[in-house]
């Protein structure tokens, strides 16, 4: 594989992905790059395309499960060196895709702009949240997005409207594109009231999460009308274990990877859960976690 000379300083080979994923497991990326700006991303995408290499985008790594075999392609990380700038103009806030979602939430609340505060405590980047239409408390991030700037598969840059981004329940039509930045249209609110609301949500969200083990993921999409947590508890799957991987006993919507866990074990656990839920309830539980 040949990347152009002027891109070589950005490319690393056989880069371990486990340390970059919240689950802490998985094999290496054949090629790995941390672009500095949009032009780098465009050139990386164009060059990978020319070489027939698959491209995957890494944000905060809180919603991926990397197989032991790793990724036979190019992984572009936007969480490191790429822009995480946040600018505010009246009620419009524009955020670089590599910014942490929590930073964007805190910044909006501090500026007296409402619409993102309910997402406090969701790990990862703004890019990852927008691509997966992250949601909490029944409201998704897409509802306050006004536009999204992306690098298309042909490496051109395009700004998409909220409608073009196709937000639906934990889904968008942005998969396969590289999100560079996102503009939100927010509402002017009282800073103190917003801050209090955010703090309350932050406390309750932290209390509803396993605290002992840091290597966790939230594998399933809440099915219509019922939180995955309640469904898994009703079906009796809380605490279910496969090797060193288990569903948390108290908060079974979280999958925990203990020391010695493998991606294979994660995949087997997910399959067992889906089978049992389908058998007992007829519900085809959908995956939120992205399998690499
Ligand atoms: C403890 C915990 C709590 C969670 N709580 C919630 C919750 O309440 N609600 C919720 O919706 N989710 C939740 N999640 C899931 C996860 O945090 C979100 O999906 C988050 O938005 C993922 O962002 P990320 O940057 O970590 O994405 P990553 O895990 O890095 O990537 C996820 C997917 O997005 C793609 N992607 C990332 N950035 C870009 C980009 N810039 N351009 C194109 N594609 C990109 C990746 O290719 C991948 O397919 C939780 C996860 C954990 C571990």
């Amino acid at each position: 594989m040949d990347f152009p000379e002027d891109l070589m300083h950005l490319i690393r080979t056989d880069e371990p992905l486990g340390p970059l994923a919240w689950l802490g497991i998985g094999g290496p990326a054949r090629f790995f790059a941390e672009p500095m700006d949009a032009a780098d991303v465009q050139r990386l995408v164009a060059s990978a395309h020319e070489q027939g290499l698959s491209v995957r985008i890494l944000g905060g790594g809180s919603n991926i499960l990397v197989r032991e075999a790793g990724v036979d392609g190019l992984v572009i990380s936007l969480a490191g060196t790429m822009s995480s700038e946040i600018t505010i103009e009246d009620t419009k806030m524009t955020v670089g895709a590599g910014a942490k979602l929590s930073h964007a939430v805190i910044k909006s609340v501090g500026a007296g702009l409402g619409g993102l505060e309910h997402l406090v405590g969701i790990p990862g980047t703004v890019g990852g949240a927008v691509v997966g239409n992250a949601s909490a408390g029944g409201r998704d991030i897409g509802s306050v997005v006004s536009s999204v700037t992306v690098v298309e598969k042909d490496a051109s840059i395009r700004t998409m409207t909220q409608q073009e981004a196709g937000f639906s329940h934990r889904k968008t039509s942005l998969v396969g594109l590289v999100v560079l930045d996102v503009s939100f249209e927010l509402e002017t609110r009282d800073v103190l009231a917003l801050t209090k609301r955010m703090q309350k949500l932050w406390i309750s969200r932290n209390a509803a999460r396993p605290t002992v083990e840091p290597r966790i993921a939230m594998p399933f999409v809440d099915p219509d009308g019922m939180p995955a947590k309640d469904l898994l508890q009703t079906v009796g799957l809380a605490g279910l274990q496969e090797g060193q991987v288990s569903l948390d006993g108290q908060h079974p919507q979280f999958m925990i990877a203990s020391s010695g866990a493998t991606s294979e074990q994660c995949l087997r656990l997910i399959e067992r859960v889906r089978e049992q839920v389908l058998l007992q309830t007829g519900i085809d539980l959908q995956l939120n976690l992205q399998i690499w």
Side-chain angles (χ1 to χ4, degrees):
M1 292 291 159
D2 271 332
F3 285 94
E5 198 54 43
D6 61 342
L7 281 179
M8 285 313 285
H9 67 289
L10 296 175
I11 311 266
R12 302 204 287 270
T13 51
D14 295 325
E15 179 79 5
L17 293 174
L20 302 175
W22 268 57
L23 281 168
I25 45 183
R30 186 169 169 206
F31 299 105
F32 181 88
E34 287 181 308
M36 304 298 289
D37 53 28
D40 282 348
V41 175
Q42 285 180 285
R43 286 182 306 141
L44 284 163
V45 167
S47 178
H49 184 71
E50 270 166 29
Q51 301 177 65
L53 272 181
S54 66
V55 175
R56 288 188 184 274
I57 310 304
L58 179 65
S62 65
N63 203 30
I64 55 164
L65 169 62
V66 184
R67 291 175 196 270
E68 262 81 41
V71 174
D72 184 18
L74 170 68
V75 172
I76 300 178
S77 168
L78 296 191
T81 46
M82 268 293 278
S83 165
S84 53
E85 202 183 337
I86 301 178
T87 56
I88 295 177
E89 208 179 303
D90 299 325
T91 52
K92 181 178 166 180
M93 184 169 89
T94 301
V95 187
K100 284 191 174 160
L101 179 62
S102 56
H103 288 174
V105 170
I106 289 167
K107 188 97 179 181
S108 63
V109 165
L113 294 174
L116 289 176
E117 66 284 356
H118 62 289
L119 302 172
V120 67
I122 299 181
T125 59
V126 167
V130 167
V131 169
N133 198 13
S135 65
R139 272 188 76 192
D140 60 46
I141 195 167
S143 62
V144 287
V145 168
S146 58
S147 65
V148 184
T149 307
V150 298
V151 174
E152 300 237 49
K153 287 177 184 159
D154 67 1
S156 61
I157 289 187
R158 174 181 169 209
T159 297
M160 299 170 82
T161 62
Q162 181 196 49
Q163 208 175 14
E164 286 168 331
F167 293 102
S168 61
H169 186 45
R170 292 281 173 93
K171 278 198 188 130
T172 65
S173 48
L174 299 166
V175 175
L177 310 176
V178 188
V179 173
L180 291 177
D181 63 54
V182 182
S183 289
F184 298 99
E185 190 52 51
L186 303 169
E187 280 175 16
T188 308
R189 300 258 182 80
D190 177 61
V191 179
L192 213 63
L194 267 183
T195 308
K196 276 195 182 147
R197 183 169 141 70
M198 181 183 70
Q199 285 168 340
K200 234 172 126 180
L201 285 167
W202 170 251
I203 291 165
S204 65
R205 200 149 294 151
N206 267 344
R209 179 181 293 184
T211 45
V212 189
E213 184 54 72
R215 292 163 56 183
I216 56 176
M218 209 189 209
F220 305 108
V221 175
D222 289 342
D224 268 352
M226 192 185 218
K229 177 188 179 184
D230 297 346
L231 178 67
L232 296 169
Q233 244 151 8
T234 307
V235 175
L237 295 177
L240 185 74
Q241 193 153 355
E242 177 73 44
Q244 304 309 311
V245 180
S246 57
L247 290 189
D248 187 63
Q250 258 194 311
H251 312 290
Q253 72 274 34
F254 290 106
M255 180 170 77
I256 300 180
S258 306
S259 168
T262 65
S263 307
E264 266 309 309
Q265 291 169 357
C266 292
L267 289 169
R268 277 204 298 274
L269 183 80
I270 287 169
E271 235 6 82
R272 280 176 63 193
V273 170
R274 293 189 68 198
E275 263 171 36
Q276 276 305 312
V277 168
L278 189 63
L279 205 69
Q280 293 191 43
T281 67
I283 295 171
D284 183 10
L285 205 50
Q286 296 300 304
L287 261 194
N288 182 37
L289 194 65
Q290 302 295 307
I291 315 295
W292 282 19

